[in-house]
């Protein structure tokens, strides 16, 4: 006769994803998860304490036989920290409260050269461009800009990214890249790629990563959003950089007019242009983009778009081991109550004005000036706390009981605000998109293809 085990568990809050072969049980308070087969998920669903419990107790008791299928399931879930004994202590989501925020150095600092740009992309998140054909970007004192880089380094940042507008319109860009690298910072540049030439390609060696915007290899698609003739200029720039050994990442903005060409774009970029990385992000209607909202992918096409893009991106990374995907998904599936704007990420203008992130760069989100105040002084302000609170899902009643709220952390609040008019208000279409993407990363984190259900070999 088998002996029985009597255990008391903390009542779990669990969320289940299923496909034909496997299921994932996720603890929505801790982010821990376990992959179950069909037999295990059937047993899971028939286990009393895992069903919905309507009483007010915060703990549940379960009696089960030792060395049984149920006992093996229970101990598997305990080992993965998906469930916890009543006395067990466990860490929940990461909450950037005021004390934590004050101590947390930014990992990524964006330095913007302003809104001057040689292009006028129809969905620009700012409203960048040149007002007049002969306009020239304003020059800034090089020594003053070096002081700005020094302040970024003293903050404890690991990466500095030069952005705009178009950084290459500014005469000091390469000198600043070299100086930042000399100070030990990881250096990146965001560029549209059209100004790369035989004469300057070698100068990009001061950047660890150069991120170039390209929405499609097909000119009739890419030129619709970025401007006539841009596609060939961008591809030429990519080839020049790869010729001198620069690490190139291509970034695409997904819209309803280009997402079905992403597969061909990825294959061409890897096979023909030998780029090092590729990323795609959904269009957010801010800046000039707010005037072109119709570029957004319709709600009824979101699931189709995400599935298509996932399969094409996944299949296109021929030079990147699958284990890197799993690593990325595991990192992405960390629990937190808010995005990192103002904490992990900051944006600083050439005059020293500080904002929470690239997408929250307007007067209402102004935090202070790094030439006039220290970062600690900026973080101690009420305005900083107010913005951080507005970004927190704990204070967002619309996130409410959503089981994934600590995984998506409310998503990009700037995106929500662009579509709802308020940082604290959610846009249902954006929520649907986030949920779909989180499901993908949860499956991938367990080594399972999110659409085919295939167990992938790491």
């Amino acid at each position: 006769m088998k002996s029985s085990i009597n255990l008391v568990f903390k009542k779990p809050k669990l969320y289940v994803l299923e496909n034909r072969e496997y299921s994932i049980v996720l603890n929505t308070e801790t982010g821990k998860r376990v992959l179950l087969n069909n037999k295990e998920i059937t047993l899971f669903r028939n286990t009393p304490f895992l069903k919905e419990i309507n009483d007010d107790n915060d703990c549940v008791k379960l009696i089960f036989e030792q060395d049984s299928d149920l006992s093996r399931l229970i101990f598997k879930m305990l080992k993965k920290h998906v469930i916890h004994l009543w006395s067990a202590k466990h860490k929940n989501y990461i909450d950037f409260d005021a004390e934590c925020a004050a101590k947390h150095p930014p990992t990524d600092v964006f330095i913007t050269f302003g809104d001057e740009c040689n292009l006028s992309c129809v969905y620009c998140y700012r409203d960048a461009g040149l007002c007049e054909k002969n306009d020239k970007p304003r020059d800034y004192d090089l020594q003053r800009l070096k002081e700005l880089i020094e302040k970024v380094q003293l903050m404890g940042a690991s990466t500095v990214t030069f952005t705009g507008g178009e950084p290459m319109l500014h005469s000091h860009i390469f000198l600043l890249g070299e100086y930042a690298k000399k100070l030990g910072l990881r250096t990146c540049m965001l560029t549209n790629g059209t100004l790369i030439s035989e004469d300057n390609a070698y100068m990009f060696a001061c950047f660890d990563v150069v991120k170039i915007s390209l929405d499609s290899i097909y000119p009739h698609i890419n030129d619709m959003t970025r401007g006539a003739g841009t596609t060939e200029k961008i591809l030429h720039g990519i080839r020049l950089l790869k010729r001198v050994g620069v690490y190139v990442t291509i970034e695409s903005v997904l819209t309803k007019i280009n997402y079905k060409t992403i597969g061909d774009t990825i294959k061409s970029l890897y096979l023909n242009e030998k780029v090092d990385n590729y990323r795609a992000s959904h269009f957010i209607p801010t800046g000039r983009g707010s005037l072109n909202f119709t570029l957004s992918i319709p709600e009824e096409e979101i699931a189709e778009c995400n599935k298509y893009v996932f399969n094409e991106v996944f299949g296109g990374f021929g030079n990147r081991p699958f284990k890197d995907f799993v690593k990325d998904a595991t990192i992405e599936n960390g629990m937190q109550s808010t995005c990192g704007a103002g904490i992990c990420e900051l944006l600083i203008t050439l005059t020293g004005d500080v904002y929470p992130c690239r997408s929250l760069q307007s007067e209402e989100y102004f935090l202070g000036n790094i030439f006039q105040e220290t970062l600690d002084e900026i973080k101690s302000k009420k305005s900083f706390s107010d913005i951080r609170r507005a970004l927190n899902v704990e204070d967002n009643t619309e996130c409410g009981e959503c089981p994934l709220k600590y995984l998506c952390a409310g998503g990009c609040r700037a995106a929500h605000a662009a579509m709802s008019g308020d940082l604290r208000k959610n846009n249902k279409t954006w929520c649907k998109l986030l949920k779909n993407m989180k499901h993908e990363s949860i499956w991938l984190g367990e080594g399972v293809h999110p659409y085919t259900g295939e167990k992938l070999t790491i």
Side-chain angles (χ1 to χ4, degrees), residues 288-325:
R288 189 180 299 121
S290 64
L291 303 175
N292 295 286
F293 190 84
T294 54
L295 289 171
S296 300
I297 296 169
E299 183 175 357
E300 62 272 15
E301 292 185 35
I302 285 176
E304 175 192 352
C305 169
N306 280 0
K307 181 178 180 179
Y308 174 81
V309 172
F310 179 89
N311 286 329
E312 294 299 332
V313 172
F314 184 81
F317 277 98
N319 64 340
R320 189 178 178 193
F322 172 69
K323 63 183 179 181
D324 286 350
F325 281 93

Side-chain angles (χ1 to χ4, degrees), residues 51-68:
K51 293 181 179 179
E52 190 69 32
I53 300 172
N54 295 320
D55 58 38
D56 295 327
N57 294 328
D58 199 29
C59 62
V60 289
K61 182 185 291 186
L62 183 66
I63 301 173
F64 53 92
E65 289 186 347
Q66 189 174 0
D67 196 29
S68 63

